[in-house]
Amino acid sequence: MASEAELRKRNTPKSTKADLKSDEKEQKPKAKVDAEGSRAQESAFSSTAFIVLAVLVAAAVLVYLNPAVVTETVSEFFGFEWDAAPVESTRAGFVADVEKRDAVKAAFRHAWLAYERDAMGDDEYHPISHEGTNLTEAGGIGYTVVDSIDTMLIMGLQDEYERARQWVAEKLTFEQDANFNTFETTIRVLGGLLSAYALTNDSLYLDKAVDLGDRIMPAFDTPARLPTSMVNLAKRQGVRAEDNKGLVSTAEISTLQLEFRYLAYLTDNDEYWDAVENVMRTIRSSSLTTGLASIFMNPEDGRFVLSAIRLGSRGDSYYEYLLKQYLQTNLTENVYQEMYNGAMDGVHGHLIKKGQYSGMTYTSELIPERNPRGEIQWRLMPKQDHLVCFFGGSLMLGAVTSGAVRHPVSIPPRPSELTPRGKRDWQTGVELIETCVQTHDTATGLAPEIVHFRIPSDNVVGSGVPQDWYIKGAEPWAPAPYDARYILRPETVESLFIAYRLTGDDKYRRYGWKIFQAIETHCRIESGGYASIINVDQVPVVHEDKMETFLMSETLKYLYLLFEDDSVLPLSEWVFNTEAHPLPIINAGRKANF
Ligand SMILES: *[C@@H]1O[C@H](CO)[C@@H](O)[C@H](O)[C@H]1NC(C)=O
Ligand SMILES: *[C@@H]1O[C@H](CO)[C@@H](O)[C@H](O)[C@H]1NC(C)=O
Ligand SMILES: *[C@@H]1O[C@H](CO)[C@@H](O)[C@H](O)[C@H]1NC(C)=O
């Protein structure tokens, strides 16, 4: 057991949502090529684009010659005959699976009550040592409490909710003289407060949200008006991160928009709105012709910096929020639909791949590298973070909104209700969810943090080599690599929840129930709380002494909603921020003017 405390010291990730350890390993070579800027990137891209175009043309010719190919695969994934069954109702009206829903609720109480007993008010919780810690020495900012409040409201946990509210009223203060991550603080704490307000109309939460929002706003004071990655909440000052040469992550600067826009809507203060809309304007004006975005930008000149392109860490929620910004303002801001369409075309052109042997659909990363002649080339890396698993559900949600020819569509949508893009995205989304579910095919039934898919040049040899995917560096005799862990992440169950709401297909509830049971079996700590595990392929498991806040804000919330009646938080009225905090769709009466 002593080893568990050691593990915690070594492994506690700081900014888990956006920062993967293996990400850091990649930083160094990238930084060297930073100076080239995005022009080189663009020209390197055009050669890739040309090849992709050629492939597309070839594919189109094939489809033209044999149209049955497409219809066949598409209807297979829809699971019903194209336009055969008339669906009159646009609401499935699925009923709750009360027993499973309440089992998830009991799990939430098991997590919360342990935290409350051992660490109430501390930012983070360590369920094995029964202690809490704060993000900084200055003191906590309600990271866990505020992140959990809306889940209690949704689950109807009145007593727990009252105590959490009392803590916010009496103890929560943002007057902390230390640097906090701008993005994490916005999605978890500001998002949590705004969602609690939306669900209660209790002015306590709005007052706190305004106070926090005002303290974060100075982060936008950079030459290009892109927010710094850190902010000192007491001094009200943006702070550049020392790592990454003061560059900012694309996902981090483009995942503040739902929160600040809703704050502007509630307060009639346009400054919040302008600050985050400006970021989107800058991204749009510097974006690449492919619609894809590299994971770093320079806050000095507002340009993309040559760096990896991916749907995983530092890239993920850029794509998520393109869609959700369009949804939040009730499909009125066409600029976000345009950006989203461009991005999805780029993703399909460059990042979506099929397993060489298994045919599984997965997402790849593009890594810029210099060849011996000093030219930049993009290497395709068949690596998929667990973080990417939000994307299947996101694609399906995009298909029935941005990709629909009428609103609302049936459940599930009929092909005639979707545009060609909508059909493409729906199908890819359905396939990606299957892939993410298959990555749970491990000794524990839990998915690893990062998987690699087989490609012919991967040199993975030996007996028992998998045909489809593997955990890089995992050897029976060696310590588990970083990639092998499961840290209670929500992304797969998030997609399952969305897919269930949009299809009514019971298989998504079955998948979710299996994942929930695996969490119960392997992550639950008897004395209270849940812990991460360091190797999904090892039973009995070795725990890491940490319960991430997103267990209570996201993983258990999405599982609960998967089994709940669909009149609770309908997707036609609510949009979930990237930390699963629901915010209402608004009629703001203003539109982006760029
Ligand atoms: C965390 O911060 C809060 C608020 O400042 C403080 O009350 C608490 O004692 C701190 N906890 C730890 C473990 O330092
Ligand atoms: C909050 O107030 C708004 C506007 O008056 C209202 O539409 C909404 O139903 C209220 N929500 C709750 C939970 O009371
Ligand atoms: C969103 O738009 C639809 C259709 O135009 C409308 O019926 C609905 O009331 C709008 N929602 C809000 C919150 O404005």
Side-chain angles (χ1 to χ4, degrees):
M1 287 300 114
S3 66
E4 269 164 352
E6 271 169 42
L7 271 173
R8 176 160 74 75
K9 288 214 180 63
R10 275 210 313 274
N11 294 324
T12 301
K14 254 273 157 4
S15 166
T16 44
K17 187 97 185 182
D19 261 314
L20 296 180
K21 283 241 174 74
S22 55
D23 189 34
E24 303 313 319
K25 274 182 255 148
E26 285 168 31
Q27 299 309 310
K28 296 233 166 56
K30 254 182 273 156
K32 273 191 211 120
V33 284
D34 283 347
E36 317 314 314
S38 56
R39 235 188 333 244
Q41 192 172 0
E42 224 163 308
S43 75
F45 236 116
S46 53
S47 61
T48 325
F50 180 76
I51 296 168
V52 169
L53 191 68
V55 172
L56 281 179
V57 168
V61 168
L62 199 73
V63 169
Y64 180 71
L65 295 176
N66 183 8
V69 173
V70 167
T71 358
E72 253 170 46
T73 41
V74 171
S75 56
E76 183 189 324
F77 283 106
F78 272 81
F80 62 95
E81 284 285 289
W82 284 80
D83 268 350
V87 185
E88 288 311 324
S89 162
T90 52
R91 181 171 169 263
F94 335 113
V95 287
D97 184 328
V98 174
E99 203 177 303
K100 294 192 170 68
R101 184 197 69 188
D102 289 349
V104 178
K105 182 167 161 177
F108 179 92
R109 286 188 82 236
H110 184 75
W112 171 262
L113 293 176
Y115 164 78
E116 194 180 23
R117 175 193 68 202
D118 299 335
M120 184 62 185
D122 296 344
D123 287 332
E124 302 191 292
Y125 180 46
H126 310 284
I128 294 169
S129 55
H130 295 199
E131 347 172 290
T133 49
N134 288 321
L135 295 169
T136 73
E137 306 219 322
I141 54 167
Y143 226 51
T144 295
V145 177
V146 176
D147 219 11
S148 306
I149 283 182
D150 59 5
T151 310
M152 297 174 188
L153 288 163
I154 292 165
M155 292 182 173
L157 291 168
Q158 192 61 28
D159 295 347
E160 288 79 1
Y161 168 72
E162 295 294 345
R163 298 195 298 270
R165 185 196 179 280
Q166 191 180 359
W167 185 87
V168 171
E170 290 170 9
K171 302 273 177 59
L172 178 61
T173 170
F174 299 121
E175 186 63 24
Q176 308 287 26
D177 185 2
N179 299 337
F180 294 88
N181 181 289
T182 307
F183 156 77
E184 301 280 1
T185 307
T186 299
I187 63 166
R188 300 191 202 210
V189 188
L190 184 60
L193 290 167
L194 290 170
S195 191
Y197 179 74
L199 295 170
T200 59
N201 285 341
D202 182 338
S203 62
L204 168 69
Y205 301 116
L206 184 55
D207 294 345
K208 292 284 181 192
V210 169
D211 179 34
L212 179 58
D214 288 345
R215 291 169 189 271
I216 295 174
M217 282 291 279
F220 292 88
D221 289 338
T222 62
R225 323 269 328 137
L226 301 182
T228 52
S229 47
M230 310 290 282
V231 63
N232 183 309
L233 294 178
K235 294 204 175 106
R236 297 170 190 256
Q237 247 169 32
V239 178
R240 267 159 227 228
E242 276 157 34
D243 52 348
N244 306 321
K245 300 187 159 182
L247 299 174
V248 294
S249 294
T250 306
E252 295 196 4
I253 62 173
S254 59
T255 311
L256 313 165
Q257 280 66 16
L258 298 189
E259 296 79 2
F260 278 92
R261 213 175 265 131
Y262 185 50
L263 186 61
Y265 171 80
L266 292 174
T267 57
D268 273 327
N269 180 350
D270 282 345
E271 282 172 32
Y272 304 126
W273 189 297
D274 295 339
V276 292
E277 185 178 278
N278 225 349
V279 174
M280 298 311 297
R281 182 185 290 115
T282 302
I283 289 178
R284 184 162 190 245
S285 63
S286 36
S287 69
L288 307 167
T289 47
T290 55
L292 296 173
S294 50
I295 58 171
F296 284 106
M297 292 187 81
N298 187 338
E300 299 301 323
D301 62 9
R303 301 190 58 174
F304 280 103
V305 168
L306 185 62
S307 49
I309 291 179
R310 61 173 173 237
L311 291 156
S313 67
R314 298 184 186 280
D316 47 4
S317 48
Y318 166 68
Y319 302 97
E320 178 187 353
Y321 269 35
L322 283 183
L323 174 66
K324 289 184 173 174
Q325 291 180 73
Y326 181 57
L327 301 183
Q328 183 184 32
T329 45
N330 207 11
L331 315 183
T332 57
E333 296 186 282
N334 295 331
V335 66
Y336 297 118
Q337 183 181 32
E338 241 172 64
M339 290 175 80
Y340 178 71
N341 284 345
M344 292 309 101
D345 290 352
V347 165
H348 278 87
H350 299 278
L351 305 182
I352 301 284
K353 302 289 163 197
K354 293 265 187 194
Q356 186 77 19
Y357 308 105
S358 63
M360 289 164 89
T361 300
Y362 67 92
T363 64
S364 237
E365 302 187 354
L366 286 170
I367 313 293
E369 285 178 345
R370 280 196 184 284
N371 68 15
R373 289 193 305 276
E375 298 153 347
I376 290 154
Q377 290 184 328
W378 291 89
R379 180 167 58 89
L380 206 54
M381 187 151 80
K383 157 178 176 280
Q384 183 174 291
D385 296 348
H386 184 96
L387 288 169
V388 179
C389 289
F390 83 95
F391 192 54
S394 179
L395 277 169
M396 291 172 79
L397 186 60
V400 301
T401 51
S402 170
V405 295
R406 70 176 189 91
H407 302 282
V409 299
S410 315
I411 297 173
R414 299 153 83 175
S416 61
E417 294 169 336
L418 303 182
T419 64
R421 251 197 201 99
K423 286 178 209 166
R424 175 198 67 188
D425 290 358
W426 178 273
Q427 186 182 342
T428 306
V430 169
E431 291 171 18
L432 277 176
I433 292 178
E434 292 297 329
T435 300
C436 286
V437 167
Q438 286 191 48
T439 62
H440 286 76
D441 183 13
T442 59
T444 54
L446 296 167
E449 179 75 356
I450 298 172
V451 296
H452 279 73
F453 291 85
R454 292 292 314 279
I455 53 173
S457 61
D458 57 21
N459 295 323
V460 179
V461 290
S463 60
V465 170
Q467 288 292 293
D468 38 26
W469 62 272
Y470 60 100
I471 301 170
K472 198 168 185 177
E475 304 287 359
W477 57 86
Y482 176 82
D483 295 11
R485 64 193 45 220
Y486 174 66
I487 62 167
L488 308 169
R489 284 202 190 276
E491 284 75 16
T492 299
V493 295
E494 168 182 352
S495 279
L496 294 176
F497 157 67
I498 293 171
Y500 182 67
R501 284 284 175 100
L502 300 181
T503 60
D505 188 336
D506 204 51
K507 82 175 170 190
Y508 295 116
R509 277 187 169 173
R510 289 198 302 273
Y511 292 155
W513 183 244
K514 266 186 91 166
I515 294 173
F516 175 68
Q517 285 177 303
I519 294 173
E520 286 292 289
T521 305
H522 300 293
C523 303
R524 184 184 169 100
I525 304 298
E526 263 331 295
S527 57
Y530 290 79
S532 306
I533 61 171
I534 66 162
N535 185 356
V536 294
D537 263 331
Q538 186 189 346
V539 177
V541 296
V542 177
H543 288 123
E544 182 187 359
D545 189 10
K546 178 142 193 201
M547 184 171 96
E548 295 284 350
T549 75
F550 45 71
L551 172 76
M552 291 195 287
S553 69
E554 299 191 71
T555 311
L556 295 177
K557 184 189 286 152
Y558 281 129
L559 280 166
Y560 180 87
L561 289 171
L562 175 63
F563 297 111
E564 177 58 294
D565 186 278
D566 78 337
S567 61
V568 177
L569 299 173
L571 294 175
S572 55
E573 290 167 33
W574 296 85
V575 57
F576 288 80
N577 92 338
T578 195
E579 186 75 2
H581 295 303
L583 302 174
I585 288 174
I586 53 178
N587 176 6
R590 72 173 274 187
K591 266 192 193 184
N593 61 346
F594 62 94

